[in-house]
Amino acid sequence: MLVLLPQIAGTFGKGIIESKASEALGADIRIERLGLSWFGSQRVGSLRLVDGSLREAADIDVRVERSLVGLVTNWKNLGKIVVRGSVTLDRTEGPLADLFGGESEQADPCSGSAQLPSGLKAELVFDGLDVRYLDGAGRDVRSSALSGTAAFAVGGAITVDLDAIVADAGSSESDLTIDAEVRGLTDAAGAFTPKSASATGTIRIKGADSPIAWLTDRELGIDAAELVAEIEGTSDRGSLRVMHESEDVNLDLAATYRLGEGAYRVDVERGGSADISGDVLGALSPEYGDLSGTVVVLESGEDKVCL
């Protein structure tokens, strides 16, 4: 009987999980398959999140690569959790709107008494996950074939190593790579300590369209561009470097940032450069086009921008 317990629990426990999860999220959670094993992996097949209007916010498969024996003896070590499928993060409506900061005021997860269990650790493995992000500002960003890992340990570091193909509405696809590490977000007891957290990381975007066009929401005619952003610091202060390479826009700017009086101040450091074609300047604004061929010294008096 003990040997068959995982199979029995997988059959009857599925309904309990669906009911509790649906109540917590205010949406309909449906699980097609729940597979439990004393010595093998734990599997959830086709977990679907659907709201009252039958909008599907998620359809994912989850595999926890830990046995029930291992979880019972040390439940704080969740091991590898492999996720595949599709998720829609809609901040305007649907079952995940409140969870991801919809129309209601978003709560600060790092405030109050929220605390993780001491010793908790896991490694999320994304196996070709498709993610769509929508918000009230009209952004519609799709990330396909998201692959890589995000590992965390309470009191330790959070490491992220991800690759994906991204595109927003009307733009070509670009390759996205994120490599980052965050330290000090929690202490050894599991309490959130965001003021003590520090991060280092690199974001790389390479594709037929430039991220500058995404940010300005303008057709700039920039083709075959690569953007690299490096950052190191805390939420209060740190340093960053932005590099952009294309036929019309070449940037290499280093800067420091610090928070003061409710706003960030960014100071460009010595040695940076920006080479921008007149066509791009004119596309940004007609009056900028008149600056083509001139050299502008930044307010800091340290860097020159070649236009």
Side-chain angles (χ1 to χ4, degrees):
M1 187 67 178
L2 186 63
V3 174
L4 297 177
L5 188 59
Q7 286 77 15
I8 297 173
T11 301
F12 295 99
K14 182 167 75 72
I16 298 175
I17 295 175
E18 288 176 336
S19 177
K20 294 296 185 181
S22 297
E23 181 180 350
L25 291 176
D28 187 13
I29 300 292
R30 305 171 185 174
I31 298 175
E32 185 174 319
R33 300 177 304 278
L34 177 62
L36 305 178
S37 171
W38 281 121
F39 302 105
S41 300
Q42 318 310 310
R43 300 172 184 268
V44 177
S46 189
L47 185 154
R48 300 174 62 212
L49 175 58
V50 182
D51 69 5
S53 300
L54 300 181
R55 287 185 295 255
E56 187 173 277
D59 184 358
I60 60 174
D61 296 328
V62 181
R63 183 177 76 253
V64 181
E65 296 187 349
R66 286 272 284 166
S67 68
L68 283 179
V69 172
L71 290 172
V72 169
T73 56
N74 183 10
W75 66 269
K76 293 182 180 181
N77 181 6
L78 300 178
K80 287 186 178 181
I81 303 174
V82 183
V83 182
R84 64 173 61 183
S86 61
V87 177
T88 298
L89 308 180
D90 190 342
R91 298 186 64 176
T92 61
E93 60 181 354
L96 296 182
D98 292 335
L99 186 62
F100 289 96
E103 300 300 327
S104 61
E105 184 177 352
Q106 187 175 9
D108 183 358
C110 298
S111 64
S113 58
Q115 187 163 327
L116 295 173
S118 174
L120 184 67
K121 62 179 180 179
E123 180 182 7
L124 287 174
V125 179
F126 300 101
D127 185 14
L129 187 69
D130 293 332
V131 180
R132 184 182 182 188
Y133 172 85
L134 303 101
D135 66 12
R139 297 184 183 89
D140 184 355
V141 181
R142 299 171 186 263
S143 171
S144 61
L146 176 64
S147 301
T149 61
F152 76 90
V154 168
I158 300 173
T159 58
V160 177
D161 185 1
L162 299 174
D163 295 288
I165 300 172
V166 298
D168 66 356
S171 74
S172 302
E173 294 181 339
S174 298
D175 295 326
L176 170 68
T177 300
I178 300 176
D179 184 4
E181 180 179 87
V182 179
R183 292 187 173 274
L185 186 59
T186 60
D187 61 19
F192 284 99
T193 53
K195 293 296 184 182
S196 303
S198 62
T200 58
T202 301
I203 299 175
R204 184 184 303 271
I205 304 174
K206 185 176 183 179
D209 289 331
S210 170
I212 296 176
W214 303 353
L215 296 173
T216 60
D217 196 23
R218 295 175 182 270
E219 180 56 53
L220 302 179
I222 304 175
D223 298 324
E226 180 175 9
L227 174 73
V228 179
E230 300 173 348
I231 187 168
E232 180 177 358
T234 67
S235 60
D236 293 329
R237 64 180 63 241
S239 61
L240 55 90
R241 183 183 180 190
V242 177
M243 294 162 282
H244 183 284
E245 183 177 347
S246 71
E247 184 177 348
D248 295 295
V249 177
N250 288 282
L251 306 174
D252 188 351
L253 299 174
T256 59
Y257 68 89
R258 64 180 183 274
L259 179 64
E261 299 181 358
Y264 281 100
R265 174 183 172 87
V266 178
D267 295 314
V268 180
E269 295 184 341
R270 179 175 301 173
S273 64
D275 189 351
I276 307 173
S277 72
D279 290 340
V280 172
L281 287 172
L284 287 170
S285 182
E287 56 266 28
Y288 291 166
D290 296 336
L291 296 175
S292 180
T294 65
V295 173
V296 178
V297 179
L298 298 182
E299 185 178 350
S300 65
E302 297 176 343
D303 292 280
K304 292 185 177 181
V305 181
C306 302
L307 305 174

